[in-house]
Coordinates of all heavy atoms in Angstrom, one line a residue:
A1 N -49.2 50.9 73.0 CA -47.9 51.5 73.2 C -48.1 53.0 73.6 O -49.1 53.6 73.1 CB -47.0 51.5 71.9
K2 N -47.3 53.4 74.6 CA -47.6 54.7 75.2 C -47.4 55.9 74.1 O -48.4 56.8 74.1 CB -46.4 55.0 76.2 CG -46.8 54.6 77.6 CD -45.9 55.3 78.6 CE -46.4 54.9 80.0 NZ -46.7 53.6 80.4
C3 N -46.6 55.8 73.1 CA -46.5 56.9 72.2 C -47.7 57.0 71.3 O -48.2 58.0 70.8 CB -45.2 56.6 71.3 SG -45.3 55.0 70.3
Q4 N -48.5 55.9 71.2 CA -49.7 56.0 70.4 C -50.8 56.8 71.2 O -51.9 57.2 70.6 CB -50.3 54.6 70.2 CG -49.5 53.8 69.2 CD -50.2 52.5 68.9 OE1 -49.7 51.5 69.6 NE2 -51.3 52.3 68.2
C5 N -50.6 57.0 72.4 CA -51.5 57.8 73.2 C -51.2 59.4 73.3 O -52.0 60.1 73.9 CB -51.7 57.2 74.5 SG -52.7 55.7 74.6
K6 N -50.0 59.7 72.8 CA -49.7 61.1 72.8 C -50.4 61.9 71.8 O -49.9 62.1 70.6 CB -48.1 61.2 72.6 CG -47.3 60.8 73.9 CD -46.0 61.2 73.8 CE -45.1 61.1 75.1 NZ -44.1 60.1 74.9
L7 N -51.7 62.3 72.1 CA -52.4 63.1 71.2 C -52.7 64.4 71.9 O -53.0 64.5 73.1 CB -53.8 62.4 71.0 CG -53.6 61.2 69.9 CD1 -54.9 60.4 70.1 CD2 -53.6 61.8 68.5
L8 N -52.9 65.5 71.2 CA -53.3 66.7 71.8 C -54.8 66.5 72.1 O -55.5 65.9 71.4 CB -53.2 67.9 70.8 CG -51.9 68.3 70.3 CD1 -51.8 69.3 69.2 CD2 -51.1 68.9 71.5
P9 N -55.3 67.1 73.3 CA -56.6 66.9 73.7 C -57.7 67.2 72.6 O -58.6 66.4 72.4 CB -56.8 68.0 74.8 CG -55.5 68.2 75.4 CD -54.5 68.0 74.3
K10 N -57.4 68.2 71.7 CA -58.3 68.6 70.6 C -58.3 67.5 69.5 O -59.2 67.5 68.7 CB -58.1 69.9 70.1 CG -56.8 70.1 69.3 CD -56.8 71.5 68.7 CE -55.7 71.8 67.8 NZ -54.3 71.6 68.2
E11 N -57.3 66.6 69.5 CA -57.2 65.6 68.5 C -57.9 64.3 68.9 O -58.0 63.3 68.2 CB -55.8 65.2 68.2 CG -55.1 66.4 67.5 CD -53.4 66.1 67.4 OE1 -53.0 65.2 68.1 OE2 -52.9 66.7 66.5
R12 N -58.4 64.2 70.1 CA -58.9 62.9 70.7 C -60.2 62.6 70.0 O -61.1 63.5 69.9 CB -59.0 63.0 72.2 CG -57.8 63.2 73.0 CD -58.1 63.2 74.4 NE -56.7 63.5 75.0 CZ -56.6 63.7 76.5 NH1 -57.8 63.7 77.2 NH2 -55.5 63.8 77.0
T13 N -60.5 61.3 69.8 CA -61.7 60.8 69.4 C -62.3 59.8 70.4 O -61.5 59.1 70.9 CB -61.5 59.9 68.1 OG1 -60.8 60.8 67.1 CG2 -62.8 59.6 67.5
N14 N -63.4 60.1 70.9 CA -64.0 59.4 71.9 C -64.0 57.8 71.6 O -64.3 57.5 70.5 CB -65.4 59.8 72.2 CG -65.9 59.4 73.6 OD1 -65.2 58.9 74.4 ND2 -67.2 59.7 73.9
C15 N -63.6 57.0 72.7 CA -63.5 55.6 72.3 C -64.4 54.8 73.4 O -64.5 53.6 73.3 CB -62.0 55.3 72.5 SG -61.6 53.6 72.0
G16 N -64.9 55.5 74.5 CA -65.7 54.7 75.4 C -67.2 55.2 75.6 O -67.7 55.6 74.5
Y17 N -67.5 55.2 76.8 CA -68.9 55.8 77.0 C -68.7 56.7 78.3 O -67.7 56.5 79.0 CB -69.9 54.7 77.4 CG -69.3 53.7 78.4 CD1 -69.5 53.8 79.8 CD2 -68.7 52.4 78.0 CE1 -68.9 52.9 80.7 CE2 -68.1 51.6 78.9 CZ -68.3 51.8 80.3 OH -67.8 51.0 81.2
P18 N -69.7 57.6 78.6 CA -69.5 58.6 79.7 C -69.3 57.8 81.0 O -70.0 56.8 81.3 CB -70.7 59.3 79.6 CG -71.3 59.2 78.3 CD -70.8 57.8 77.8
G19 N -68.2 58.1 81.7 CA -68.0 57.5 83.0 C -67.2 56.3 83.0 O -67.1 55.5 84.0
I20 N -66.7 55.8 81.8 CA -65.8 54.6 81.7 C -64.7 54.7 82.6 O -64.1 55.8 82.8 CB -65.5 54.3 80.3 CG1 -64.9 53.0 80.0 CG2 -64.5 55.4 79.7 CD1 -64.6 52.5 78.7
S21 N -64.3 53.7 83.3 CA -63.1 53.6 84.1 C -61.9 53.4 83.3 O -61.9 53.0 82.1 CB -63.1 52.4 85.1 OG -63.0 51.3 84.4
A22 N -60.7 53.9 83.8 CA -59.5 53.8 83.1 C -59.2 52.4 82.7 O -58.7 52.1 81.6 CB -58.3 54.4 83.9
A23 N -59.3 51.4 83.7 CA -59.2 50.0 83.4 C -60.1 49.5 82.3 O -59.6 48.8 81.4 CB -59.4 49.3 84.7
E24 N -61.3 49.8 82.2 CA -62.3 49.3 81.2 C -61.9 50.0 80.0 O -61.9 49.2 78.9 CB -63.7 49.8 81.7 CG -64.7 49.2 80.8 CD -64.8 47.6 81.0 OE1 -64.5 47.0 82.1 OE2 -65.0 46.9 80.0
C25 N -61.3 51.2 79.9 CA -61.0 51.9 78.7 C -59.9 51.2 78.1 O -59.8 50.9 76.8 CB -60.6 53.4 79.0 SG -60.0 54.4 77.5
K26 N -58.8 50.9 79.0 CA -57.6 50.2 78.4 C -57.9 48.8 77.9 O -57.3 48.4 77.0 CB -56.4 50.3 79.5 CG -55.9 51.6 79.7 CD -54.8 51.7 80.7 CE -54.3 53.1 80.8 NZ -54.0 53.6 82.1
K27 N -58.8 48.1 78.6 CA -59.2 46.8 78.2 C -59.8 46.7 76.8 O -59.6 45.8 76.1 CB -60.3 46.2 79.3 CG -60.4 44.8 79.3 CD -61.5 44.3 80.1 CE -61.2 44.3 81.6 NZ -62.5 43.9 82.3
I28 N -60.5 47.8 76.3 CA -61.1 47.8 75.0 C -60.0 48.4 74.0 O -60.4 48.7 72.9 CB -62.3 48.6 74.9 CG1 -62.3 50.0 75.4 CG2 -63.4 47.6 75.7 CD1 -63.6 50.7 75.1
G29 N -58.7 48.5 74.4 CA -57.7 49.0 73.5 C -57.5 50.5 73.3 O -57.1 51.0 72.2
C30 N -58.1 51.2 74.2 CA -58.1 52.7 74.1 C -57.1 53.3 75.1 O -56.6 52.7 76.0 CB -59.5 53.3 74.2 SG -60.7 52.5 72.9
C31 N -56.9 54.6 74.9 CA -56.1 55.4 75.7 C -56.9 56.0 76.8 O -58.1 56.4 76.5 CB -55.3 56.5 74.9 SG -54.4 55.8 73.7
F32 N -56.3 56.3 78.0 CA -57.1 57.0 79.1 C -56.2 58.1 79.7 O -55.0 57.9 79.9 CB -57.5 56.1 80.1 CG -58.4 56.6 81.2 CD1 -59.8 56.7 80.9 CD2 -58.0 57.3 82.3 CE1 -60.7 57.3 81.8 CE2 -59.0 57.9 83.1 CZ -60.3 57.8 82.9
N33 N -56.7 59.3 79.7 CA -56.1 60.5 80.3 C -57.0 61.4 80.7 O -57.7 62.1 79.9 CB -55.1 61.1 79.3 CG -54.3 62.2 79.8 OD1 -54.6 62.9 80.8 ND2 -53.1 62.5 79.2
S34 N -57.1 61.6 82.1 CA -58.2 62.5 82.6 C -57.6 63.8 83.1 O -58.2 64.5 83.8 CB -58.8 61.7 83.8 OG -57.8 61.4 84.7
S35 N -56.5 64.3 82.6 CA -55.9 65.6 83.0 C -56.6 66.7 82.4 O -56.4 67.8 82.9 CB -54.4 65.6 82.7 OG -54.2 65.5 81.3
T36 N -57.3 66.6 81.3 CA -58.0 67.7 80.7 C -59.5 67.6 80.7 O -60.0 66.7 80.2 CB -57.6 67.8 79.2 OG1 -56.1 67.7 79.1 CG2 -57.9 69.2 78.6
P37 N -60.1 68.6 81.4 CA -61.6 68.6 81.4 C -62.2 68.9 80.0 O -61.6 69.4 79.1 CB -61.9 69.7 82.4 CG -60.8 70.5 82.5 CD -59.6 69.7 82.1
S38 N -63.4 68.4 79.8 CA -64.3 68.7 78.7 C -63.8 68.2 77.4 O -64.0 68.7 76.4 CB -64.8 70.1 78.6 OG -63.7 71.0 78.5
V39 N -62.8 67.1 77.4 CA -62.5 66.4 76.2 C -62.6 65.0 76.5 O -62.6 64.7 77.7 CB -61.0 66.7 75.6 CG1 -60.8 68.1 75.2 CG2 -60.0 66.3 76.8
P40 N -62.7 64.1 75.5 CA -62.7 62.7 75.8 C -61.6 62.2 76.6 O -60.4 62.5 76.3 CB -62.8 62.0 74.5 CG -63.2 63.1 73.5 CD -62.8 64.4 74.0
W41 N -61.8 61.4 77.7 CA -60.7 61.0 78.6 C -60.4 59.5 78.1 O -59.2 59.1 78.2 CB -61.1 60.9 80.0 CG -61.2 62.1 80.6 CD1 -60.9 63.3 80.2 CD2 -61.6 62.3 82.1 NE1 -61.1 64.5 81.2 CE2 -61.5 63.9 82.2 CE3 -62.2 61.7 83.2 CZ2 -61.8 64.4 83.5 CZ3 -62.5 62.2 84.3 CH2 -62.3 63.6 84.5
C42 N -61.3 58.9 77.6 CA -61.0 57.6 76.9 C -61.1 57.9 75.4 O -62.2 58.2 74.9 CB -62.1 56.6 77.4 SG -61.8 54.9 76.5
Y43 N -59.9 57.6 74.7 CA -59.9 58.0 73.3 C -59.1 57.0 72.5 O -58.3 56.2 73.0 CB -59.4 59.4 73.1 CG -57.9 59.6 73.8 CD1 -56.8 59.5 73.1 CD2 -57.9 59.9 75.1 CE1 -55.6 59.7 73.6 CE2 -56.6 60.0 75.6 CZ -55.5 59.9 75.0 OH -54.2 60.2 75.5
T44 N -59.4 57.0 71.2 CA -58.8 56.2 70.2 C -57.3 56.5 70.0 O -56.9 57.7 69.9 CB -59.4 56.4 68.8 OG1 -60.8 56.3 69.1 CG2 -59.0 55.3 67.9
P45 N -56.4 55.4 70.2 CA -55.0 55.7 69.9 C -54.6 56.0 68.5 O -55.3 55.8 67.6 CB -54.3 54.4 70.3 CG -55.4 53.4 70.2 CD -56.7 54.0 70.4
K46 N -53.5 56.6 68.3 CA -52.9 56.9 66.9 C -52.7 55.4 66.3 O -52.3 54.6 67.0 CB -51.6 57.6 67.0 CG -51.8 59.1 67.2 CD -50.5 59.8 67.0 CE -49.8 60.2 68.2 NZ -48.6 61.0 68.1
P47 N -52.9 55.5 65.0 CA -52.6 54.1 64.3 C -51.2 53.7 64.5 O -50.3 54.6 64.6 CB -52.9 54.4 62.9 CG -53.0 55.9 62.7 CD -53.3 56.5 64.0
K48 N -50.9 52.4 64.6 CA -49.5 51.9 64.8 C -48.7 52.3 63.4 O -49.2 52.2 62.3 CB -49.5 50.5 64.8 CG -49.9 50.0 66.2 CD -49.8 48.5 66.4 CE -49.9 48.1 67.9 NZ -51.0 47.4 68.1
K49 N -47.5 52.7 63.6 CA -46.6 52.9 62.4 C -46.1 51.5 62.0 O -45.6 50.6 62.8 CB -45.5 53.8 62.7 CG -45.8 55.3 62.7 CD -44.6 56.2 62.6 CE -45.0 57.6 62.3 NZ -45.2 58.4 63.6
V50 N -46.1 51.1 60.7 CA -45.6 49.9 60.3 C -44.7 50.1 59.1 O -44.8 51.2 58.5 CB -46.8 48.9 59.8 CG1 -47.6 48.5 61.0 CG2 -47.6 49.5 58.7
K51 N -43.7 49.2 58.9 CA -42.8 49.3 57.9 C -42.7 48.0 57.1 O -42.8 46.9 57.8 CB -41.5 49.9 58.3 CG -40.6 49.1 59.1 CD -39.3 49.9 59.4 CE -38.6 48.9 60.5 NZ -37.4 49.5 61.0
K52 N -42.5 48.0 55.9 CA -42.2 46.8 55.1 C -40.8 46.4 55.2 O -40.0 47.2 55.0 CB -42.6 46.9 53.8 CG -44.1 46.9 53.5 CD -44.4 47.1 52.0 CE -45.7 46.6 51.6 NZ -45.8 46.8 50.1
V53 N -40.4 45.0 55.5 CA -39.1 44.6 55.5 C -39.1 43.3 54.8 O -40.0 42.5 54.7 CB -38.6 44.5 57.0 CG1 -38.5 45.8 57.7 CG2 -39.3 43.5 57.8
C54 N -37.9 43.1 54.3 CA -37.7 41.7 53.6 C -37.2 40.7 54.8 O -36.2 41.1 55.5 CB -36.7 41.8 52.5 SG -37.3 43.0 51.2
P55 N -37.9 39.6 55.0 CA -37.5 38.8 56.1 C -36.0 38.2 55.8 O -35.6 37.9 54.7 CB -38.5 37.6 56.0 CG -39.2 37.7 54.7 CD -39.0 39.2 54.3
N56 N -35.2 38.2 57.0 CA -33.9 37.7 56.8 C -33.8 36.1 56.7 O -32.9 35.7 56.1 CB -33.1 38.2 58.1 CG -32.7 39.6 58.0 OD1 -32.5 40.1 56.8 ND2 -32.7 40.3 59.1
D57 N -34.7 35.5 57.3 CA -34.6 34.0 57.3 C -35.1 33.5 56.0 O -36.3 33.7 55.5 CB -35.6 33.5 58.4 CG -35.6 31.9 58.4 OD1 -34.9 31.3 57.6 OD2 -36.4 31.4 59.3
P58 N -34.2 32.8 55.1 CA -34.6 32.4 53.9 C -35.7 31.4 53.9 O -36.4 31.3 53.0 CB -33.3 31.7 53.3 CG -32.2 32.0 54.3 CD -32.8 32.6 55.5
Y59 N -35.9 30.6 55.0 CA -37.0 29.7 55.1 C -38.2 30.2 55.5 O -39.2 29.4 55.6 CB -36.3 28.5 56.1 CG -35.1 27.9 55.4 CD1 -33.8 28.2 56.0 CD2 -35.0 27.1 54.4 CE1 -32.7 27.8 55.4 CE2 -34.0 26.6 53.7 CZ -32.7 27.0 54.3 OH -31.6 26.6 53.7
A60 N -38.2 31.4 55.8 CA -39.5 32.2 56.2 C -40.1 32.8 54.9 O -41.2 33.5 55.1 CB -39.3 33.1 57.4
R61 N -39.5 32.7 53.8 CA -39.9 33.5 52.6 C -41.2 32.9 52.2 O -41.3 31.6 52.0 CB -38.8 33.4 51.5 CG -37.6 34.1 51.9 CD -36.5 34.0 50.7 NE -35.3 34.6 51.2 CZ -34.2 34.5 50.5 NH1 -34.1 33.9 49.4 NH2 -33.1 35.2 50.9
I62 N -42.1 33.8 51.6 CA -43.3 33.3 50.9 C -43.1 33.8 49.5 O -43.0 35.0 49.2 CB -44.5 33.9 51.6 CG1 -44.6 33.4 53.1 CG2 -45.8 33.5 51.0 CD1 -45.5 34.3 54.0
N63 N -43.3 32.8 48.7 CA -43.0 33.0 47.2 C -43.8 34.1 46.6 O -45.0 34.1 46.8 CB -43.2 31.6 46.5 CG -42.5 31.6 45.0 OD1 -41.9 32.5 44.7 ND2 -42.4 30.5 44.5
C64 N -43.2 34.9 45.9 CA -43.9 36.0 45.2 C -43.7 35.9 43.7 O -44.4 36.7 42.9 CB -43.6 37.3 45.7 SG -44.3 38.7 44.9
G65 N -42.9 35.0 43.3 CA -42.6 35.0 41.8 C -42.8 33.6 41.3 O -43.7 32.8 41.6
Y66 N -41.9 33.2 40.4 CA -41.9 31.8 39.7 C -40.4 31.5 39.5 O -39.6 32.4 39.5 CB -42.7 31.9 38.4 CG -42.3 33.1 37.5 CD1 -41.2 32.9 36.6 CD2 -43.0 34.2 37.5 CE1 -40.7 33.9 35.8 CE2 -42.5 35.3 36.8 CZ -41.5 35.1 35.8 OH -41.2 36.2 35.1
P67 N -40.1 30.2 39.3 CA -38.7 29.9 39.1 C -38.2 30.7 37.9 O -38.8 30.9 36.8 CB -38.7 28.4 38.7 CG -40.1 27.9 39.5 CD -41.0 29.1 39.3
G68 N -37.0 31.3 38.1 CA -36.3 32.0 37.0 C -36.7 33.4 36.9 O -36.2 34.1 36.0
I69 N -37.6 34.0 37.8 CA -37.9 35.3 37.7 C -36.7 36.2 37.8 O -35.9 35.9 38.6 CB -39.0 35.6 38.8 CG1 -39.6 37.1 38.5 CG2 -38.5 35.6 40.2 CD1 -40.9 37.4 39.3
K70 N -36.8 37.4 37.1 CA -35.7 38.3 37.2 C -36.0 39.3 38.2 O -37.0 39.6 38.6 CB -35.6 39.0 35.9 CG -35.3 38.1 34.6 CD -33.9 37.8 34.5 CE -33.5 36.9 33.3 NZ -33.5 35.5 33.6
A71 N -34.8 39.8 38.8 CA -34.9 40.7 39.9 C -35.9 41.9 39.6 O -36.7 42.3 40.4 CB -33.6 41.3 40.3
K72 N -35.7 42.4 38.3 CA -36.5 43.6 38.0 C -37.9 43.3 37.9 O -38.8 44.1 38.3 CB -36.1 44.0 36.5 CG -36.3 45.5 36.1 CD -35.7 45.7 34.8 CE -35.7 47.2 34.6 NZ -34.8 47.6 33.4
E73 N -38.4 42.1 37.4 CA -39.8 41.7 37.4 C -40.2 41.6 38.8 O -41.5 41.9 39.1 CB -40.0 40.4 36.7 CG -39.8 40.5 35.2 CD -39.7 39.0 34.5 OE1 -40.7 38.4 34.5 OE2 -38.6 38.6 34.2
C74 N -39.5 41.0 39.6 CA -39.8 40.8 41.0 C -40.2 42.0 41.8 O -41.3 42.3 42.4 CB -38.8 39.9 41.8 SG -39.1 39.6 43.5
T75 N -39.2 42.9 41.6 CA -39.4 44.2 42.4 C -40.6 45.1 41.8 O -41.1 45.8 42.5 CB -38.0 45.0 42.4 OG1 -37.5 45.1 41.2 CG2 -37.0 44.4 43.3
K76 N -40.7 44.9 40.5 CA -42.0 45.5 39.8 C -43.3 45.1 40.5 O -44.2 45.9 40.5 CB -41.9 45.3 38.3 CG -42.6 46.3 37.5 CD -42.8 45.9 36.0 CE -41.6 46.4 35.3 NZ -41.7 45.9 33.9
K77 N -43.3 43.8 40.9 CA -44.5 43.3 41.5 C -44.6 43.7 43.1 O -45.5 43.5 43.7 CB -44.4 41.7 41.7 CG -44.6 41.1 40.3 CD -44.4 39.6 40.4 CE -45.6 38.9 41.1 NZ -45.6 37.5 41.0
G78 N -43.5 44.5 43.6 CA -43.4 45.0 44.8 C -42.9 43.9 45.9 O -43.4 44.1 47.0
C79 N -42.1 43.1 45.4 CA -41.6 42.0 46.4 C -40.1 42.2 46.5 O -39.4 43.0 45.8 CB -42.0 40.7 45.7 SG -43.7 40.3 45.7
C80 N -39.6 41.4 47.5 CA -38.1 41.3 47.7 C -37.4 40.3 46.8 O -38.0 39.4 46.5 CB -38.0 40.9 49.1 SG -38.8 41.6 50.4
F81 N -36.2 40.6 46.5 CA -35.4 39.8 45.6 C -34.1 39.5 46.2 O -33.3 40.5 46.4 CB -35.3 40.3 44.2 CG -34.6 39.2 43.1 CD1 -35.4 38.3 42.6 CD2 -33.3 39.2 43.0 CE1 -34.8 37.4 41.7 CE2 -32.7 38.3 42.2 CZ -33.5 37.3 41.5
R82 N -33.7 38.2 46.4 CA -32.3 37.8 46.9 C -32.0 36.6 46.3 O -32.7 35.5 46.5 CB -32.3 37.7 48.3 CG -32.3 39.0 49.1 CD -31.6 38.8 50.5 NE -32.0 40.1 51.3 CZ -32.9 40.2 52.3 NH1 -33.3 39.2 52.8 NH2 -33.0 41.4 52.9
A83 N -31.0 36.5 45.3 CA -30.7 35.3 44.5 C -29.8 34.3 45.3 O -28.8 33.8 44.8 CB -30.0 35.7 43.2
H84 N -30.2 34.1 46.5 CA -29.5 33.0 47.4 C -30.4 32.7 48.5 O -31.3 33.6 48.9 CB -28.0 33.5 47.7 CG -28.2 34.7 48.5 ND1 -28.4 34.8 49.9 CD2 -28.0 36.1 48.2 CE1 -28.4 36.1 50.2 NE2 -28.2 36.9 49.2
P85 N -30.2 31.6 49.2 CA -29.5 30.4 48.8 C -30.4 29.6 47.9 O -31.5 30.0 47.6 CB -29.4 29.7 50.2 CG -30.6 30.1 51.0 CD -30.8 31.6 50.6
A86 N -29.8 28.4 47.4 CA -30.7 27.7 46.6 C -31.7 26.8 47.3 O -31.7 26.8 48.5 CB -29.7 26.5 45.9
G87 N -32.8 26.6 46.7 CA -33.9 25.7 47.3 C -34.9 26.6 48.0 O -35.8 26.0 48.7
V88 N -34.8 28.0 47.9 CA -35.8 28.8 48.6 C -36.3 29.8 47.5 O -35.5 30.0 46.6 CB -35.3 29.4 49.8 CG1 -35.0 28.4 50.9 CG2 -34.1 30.3 49.5
P89 N -37.4 30.3 47.7 CA -37.9 31.5 46.7 C -36.9 32.6 46.7 O -36.4 33.0 47.8 CB -39.2 31.8 47.2 CG -39.8 30.8 48.1 CD -38.5 30.2 48.8
W90 N -36.5 33.1 45.5 CA -35.6 34.3 45.4 C -36.4 35.5 45.4 O -36.0 36.7 45.6 CB -34.8 34.1 44.2 CG -33.7 33.1 44.4 CD1 -33.4 32.3 45.7 CD2 -32.7 32.8 43.5 NE1 -32.3 31.5 45.4 CE2 -31.8 31.8 44.2 CE3 -32.4 33.2 42.2 CZ2 -30.8 31.1 43.5 CZ3 -31.2 32.6 41.7 CH2 -30.4 31.5 42.1
C91 N -37.8 35.4 44.9 CA -38.7 36.5 44.8 C -39.7 36.2 46.0 O -40.4 35.2 45.8 CB -39.3 36.6 43.4 SG -40.4 38.0 43.2
F92 N -39.7 37.1 47.0 CA -40.7 36.8 48.0 C -41.4 38.0 48.6 O -40.8 39.1 48.4 CB -39.9 36.1 49.1 CG -38.7 36.6 49.6 CD1 -38.5 37.4 50.6 CD2 -37.4 36.4 48.8 CE1 -37.3 38.0 51.0 CE2 -36.3 37.0 49.1 CZ -36.2 37.9 50.2
Y93 N -42.3 37.8 49.3 CA -43.2 39.0 49.9 C -42.4 39.6 51.1 O -41.7 38.9 51.8 CB -44.7 38.5 50.4 CG -45.5 38.1 49.3 CD1 -45.7 36.8 48.8 CD2 -46.1 39.2 48.5 CE1 -46.6 36.5 47.8 CE2 -46.9 38.9 47.5 CZ -47.2 37.5 47.1 OH -47.9 37.3 46.0
H94 N -42.8 40.9 51.3 CA -42.3 41.6 52.4 C -43.1 41.1 53.7 O -44.2 40.6 53.6 CB -42.7 43.1 52.3 CG -41.8 43.9 51.4 ND1 -42.2 44.0 50.0 CD2 -40.6 44.6 51.4 CE1 -41.4 44.8 49.4 NE2 -40.4 45.1 50.2
R95 N -42.6 41.4 54.8 CA -43.2 41.2 56.1 C -43.5 42.6 56.6 O -42.7 43.5 56.4 CB -42.2 40.6 57.1 CG -42.2 39.1 57.1 CD -43.0 38.5 58.2 NE -43.1 37.0 58.1 CZ -42.2 36.2 58.4 NH1 -41.0 36.5 58.8 NH2 -42.4 35.0 58.3
V96 N -44.5 42.8 57.3 CA -44.8 44.1 57.9 C -44.6 44.1 59.5 O -45.1 43.2 60.0 CB -46.5 44.4 57.7 CG1 -46.7 45.7 58.3 CG2 -46.7 44.6 56.1
T97 N -43.8 45.0 59.9 CA -43.4 45.0 61.3 C -43.7 46.4 61.9 O -43.9 47.4 61.2 CB -42.0 44.8 61.5 OG1 -41.2 45.8 60.9 CG2 -41.4 43.4 61.1
E98 N -44.1 46.3 63.2 CA -44.6 47.6 63.8 C -43.2 48.4 64.2 O -42.2 47.8 64.6 CB -45.3 47.3 65.0 CG -46.7 46.8 64.8 CD -47.3 46.4 66.1 OE1 -46.9 46.7 67.2 OE2 -48.3 45.7 66.0
E99 N -43.2 49.7 64.1 CA -42.1 50.5 64.4 C -42.2 50.9 65.9 O -43.3 51.1 66.4 CB -42.1 51.8 63.6 CG -41.6 51.5 62.1 CD -41.3 52.7 61.3 OE1 -40.5 53.6 61.8 OE2 -42.0 52.9 60.3

């Protein structure tokens, strides 16, 4: 993503080899910006921002508890709790999504 490449020149970490082309640099998952001399032009992007969300689809839930687990016990384990619908886990793992 473009926003991952918005780094100050002094924050850049070299990601390629001297003389790497923009296309080759991008192919290996790095950022390329040749506007500033004497800093890496091919550099490591900022890490992706991720956030934990509780999946909305009840059938996509991955069980994190046991039958009859209480909401408090479930959240203490760091999981999501929704006491509906029947027949699916009520205590389930978060999904990680990119922001």
Side-chain angles (χ1 to χ4, degrees):
K2 275 198 168 49
C3 59
Q4 285 180 264
C5 290
K6 283 197 174 115
L7 282 163
L8 294 171
K10 68 176 191 296
E11 295 174 336
R12 293 181 187 175
T13 308
N14 199 6
C15 190
Y17 50 85
I20 190 170
S21 70
E24 195 59 39
C25 176
K26 287 178 179 147
K27 198 188 283 174
I28 58 170
C30 301
C31 303
F32 189 88
N33 181 337
S34 57
S35 62
T36 314
S38 63
V39 295
W41 287 357
C42 180
Y43 56 96
T44 310
K46 279 193 258 191
K48 287 188 166 112
K49 281 201 169 90
V50 294
K51 65 177 179 188
K52 285 175 153 187
V53 294
C54 296
N56 285 325
D57 178 2
Y59 301 99
R61 293 177 184 174
I62 299 163
N63 200 354
C64 179
Y66 51 86
I69 190 171
K70 302 276 179 271
K72 202 175 198 170
E73 290 173 70
C74 176
T75 51
K76 201 187 273 179
K77 289 177 74 170
C79 294
C80 305
F81 186 86
R82 285 201 193 116
H84 58 84
V88 296
W90 287 0
C91 180
F92 50 98
Y93 288 100
H94 288 92
R95 275 252 171 82
V96 174
T97 60
E98 287 176 18
E99 284 188 62

